[in-house]
Amino acid sequence: MTTTPDRRTDPAAVLFDMDGTLVETEEHWGTALFALARRLGGELSAAGREATVGTSMRHSMQVLHADLGLDREDRWRADAAWVEDTVAGLLASDLHWRPGARELIAEVRAAAVPTALVTTTPRRLADLVLAQLERAFPDVPPFDLTVCGDEVPARKPDPAPYRQAAAALGVDPARCVVVEDSAAGVAAGLAAGCAVLGVPSLQPLSPAPGLVLRDTLAGVGLADLTGVLAGVRAAREPAASRH
């Protein structure tokens, strides 16, 4: 029997992070950062690498330089460009989906729920990934829009990227579910007012109001996202309104 979706709880849109959430490309950034550290005569620590996950290149360069004990404030743009060029080369190879990610997108699209890709990755690199992602969806594009790191006034953990995506889709952020793997991305989604499904990959995620944690996207479907939104909205309601 066909039922009408309850628009009070169904996601008005699903906003997906990219690196580490949908595809394994976060590892390419790690490869490039470790290579840059060696190029500069040092070794990036595991803690330093973890602190760069999901963040901007500006922040990543600050972390890397501090980790190596270097003052390269006047060279950070050149170092960032080297990392981006290295990642671009790595992205030319086949991408690997995170478990359950492709299936979740397919189910959300089949239900005609709007989607956006919201990534800190700059457009020139994101398009390399998107070209491969779109080949998995020959009939319907996986995303209604994409928001890249060089197209927003501030990057994650600032809420600007997710607010921009929701505004472009014409939906209330409070009716959106964000799917993220990093602490910076989770913080951005929560600050934007969205419910967040956190699926950590290279970085542990701490519990927070508005965040639902899962070990994997394998087996996660639209009903689960609906449940995430419903649970978060119920928790945010004043206790008096539930009597």
Side-chain angles (χ1 to χ4, degrees), residues 180-202:
E180 270 282 359
D181 75 305
S182 72
V186 166
L190 293 177
C194 306
V196 179
L197 176 63
V199 186
S201 57
L202 298 179

Side-chain angles (χ1 to χ4, degrees), residues 41-61:
E43 287 289 337
L44 178 63
S45 68
R49 167 60 184 131
E50 183 178 309
T52 68
V53 174
T55 65
S56 67
M57 285 303 301
R58 180 74 175 100
H59 178 75
S60 294
M61 292 303 96

Side-chain angles (χ1 to χ4, degrees), residues 7 10-14 107-115 144 222:
R7 291 304 176 188
D10 271 17
V14 182
E107 183 174 340
V108 171
R109 295 307 275 160
V113 176
T115 58
D144 291 296
L222 180 56

Side-chain angles (χ1 to χ4, degrees), residues 39 63 78 80 89-90 104 149 162 168 192-193 200 241:
R39 181 182 175 90
V63 169
L90 295 171
L104 176 58
Y162 283 115
S241 69

